[in-house]
Amino acid sequence: MKVTVIGAGSFGTAISQVLAMNTDKVHLMARRPQIADTINKKHENTAYHPGVKLRENIEAVLMDRTEIIDESEYIFLAVPSGNLRKILRSLESNLEDKKIVSCIKGIEHPSLKPMSSVIREETGSSRVFSISGPNFADELIRGITSGITIGADASYLDEISGLLRAPGIILDHSENIEGVEFCGILKNVYAVAMGILDGQITGENHRYSLLTLCFREMTRILNEMGYGELHDRFCGFGDFLLTASTDKSRNRTLGLMLGKKMRLSEDSTITIESLRSIRAIRELTDDIDLPVLEMVHRTMEEPEKVNTYIRDFQDKIFRGMEF
């Protein structure tokens, strides 16, 4: 089976390393020639994973190699959510008959469309799937045990599982493809929240009480959206706990910076994507009272008022407000 991964960044390279265990050749599509050249000459992506040797059957190619896509049965997409439409439109290939797996954690704003919907619109493919879970790319690529939820129709589960099955990979599954994607967006919101609140935390009791409130609110949203079955999957609880409690998490780090009133770069990918996701989640849930989400949303919109928004949130929880 021929597989192409579009996006030679951190996660695209890591998932290529996993896929390379189960297929003769993985083509890793890069935008920058220097990254492709380095991968092919040194078998290493020095820009994202220095020191990690890639499997010999990973070959980097540029995105203009349309014949590579034409020959592939599965396409894995690992590109920034904000660039997805542009990238798909730039590919001079017919993707209508391809099986496409989204590794992207993001939502389009202001359309509020998940990545699977964007992919279907731009490619015409009816076979679009998703994967998500607690898997930092720098650990996934090194073979450290990682959990992945596959969002796919049951008829394709064996194929996709066969591509991802490897030592250290634990898989679970849901046919709720958009729900698996949605978990990947939602956990980022609550990772930002835990970062914002970090400076207020007085002990481990306090920390895990706040984590519980965040997960409870996240679960409420999943239930309201019809995705409640996913709260105990890798894409739900596992990814939330990893992202919200680990300092390697970019979204938690963003929250830490907001909580300390540090200046944020308006051009950074993480700031743009987080703001887009938070606005989208707020719009999708505007009829639900969600104190944590409201604090994060208000802080992202007016970071200079973070102390006021933290105080308002604390007043609510100590008044015994139900979550």
Side-chain angles (χ1 to χ4, degrees), residues 56-313:
E56 296 284 336
N57 58 334
I58 296 174
E59 179 184 350
V61 297
L62 296 181
M63 290 190 182
D64 59 359
R65 292 284 302 278
T66 57
E67 77 280 5
I68 297 296
I69 294 177
D70 294 340
E71 295 169 359
S72 298
E73 186 173 347
Y74 270 89
I75 308 293
F76 281 71
L77 288 169
V79 299
S81 60
N83 296 341
L84 178 61
R85 279 194 193 271
K86 180 180 178 181
I87 289 171
L88 290 175
R89 290 174 180 177
S90 73
L91 299 173
E92 297 180 4
S93 298
N94 182 6
L95 296 171
E96 188 173 357
D97 64 340
K98 303 302 178 187
K99 300 167 190 173
I100 303 174
V101 180
S102 172
C103 309
I104 307 167
K105 296 180 178 180
I107 190 167
E108 190 174 61
H109 190 270
S111 75
L112 306 183
K113 292 177 180 178
M115 295 296 101
S116 59
S117 293
V118 174
I119 295 166
R120 289 188 194 97
E121 287 179 7
E122 295 297 331
T123 66
S125 174
S126 60
R127 296 178 292 178
V128 178
F129 317 113
S130 61
I131 60 172
S132 189
N135 35 59
F136 286 141
D138 67 323
E139 296 188 9
L140 185 66
I141 199 170
R142 288 176 167 85
I144 295 173
T145 299
S146 305
I148 298 175
T149 298
I150 299 170
D153 302 334
S155 56
Y156 294 99
L157 178 60
D158 286 346
E159 275 188 3
I160 300 172
S161 296
L163 289 171
L164 295 172
R165 194 168 284 120
I169 300 293
I170 311 169
L171 300 172
D172 63 16
H173 169 247
S174 173
E175 291 193 85
N176 197 330
I177 297 166
E178 289 191 0
V180 171
E181 289 182 286
F182 192 72
C183 285
I185 305 160
L186 200 55
K187 55 91 183 180
N188 285 338
V189 174
Y190 292 94
V192 174
M194 287 302 297
I196 291 171
L197 293 169
D198 191 78
Q200 314 297 315
I201 291 173
T202 55
E204 294 307 303
N205 293 355
H206 191 182
R207 182 183 310 281
Y208 285 92
S209 296
L210 290 174
L211 271 170
T212 301
L213 293 178
C214 286
F215 186 65
R216 189 179 298 169
E217 188 171 293
M218 178 174 160
T219 301
R220 184 180 178 194
I221 295 173
L222 290 174
N223 289 336
E224 292 284 344
M225 299 291 290
Y227 305 145
E229 72 196 67
L230 295 169
H231 74 272
D232 63 351
R233 306 293 169 89
F234 291 127
C235 65
F237 178 72
D239 206 5
F240 157 75
L241 197 59
L242 176 78
T243 312
S245 61
T246 308
D247 285 341
K248 282 202 302 185
S249 160
R250 295 191 306 158
N251 283 279
R252 175 175 160 77
T253 300
L254 175 64
L256 286 167
M257 293 174 69
L258 287 166
K260 298 180 189 306
K261 292 187 175 182
M262 294 176 66
R263 183 176 296 277
L264 304 177
S265 170
E266 296 181 359
D267 298 325
S268 77
T269 301
I270 185 60
T271 302
I272 294 168
E273 291 210 350
S274 294
L275 185 56
R276 183 187 298 122
S277 294
I278 289 163
R279 285 173 176 166
I281 298 296
R282 181 66 273 185
E283 289 176 33
L284 286 167
T285 59
D286 62 355
D287 58 341
I288 311 172
D289 189 16
L290 302 165
V292 181
L293 175 59
E294 186 63 22
M295 179 200 67
V296 175
H297 180 250
R298 293 169 75 188
T299 298
M300 286 293 289
E301 295 289 348
E302 298 179 289
E304 70 279 2
K305 296 183 180 179
V306 60
N307 289 343
T308 299
Y309 300 143
I310 291 173
R311 186 166 56 249
D312 290 347
F313 169 74

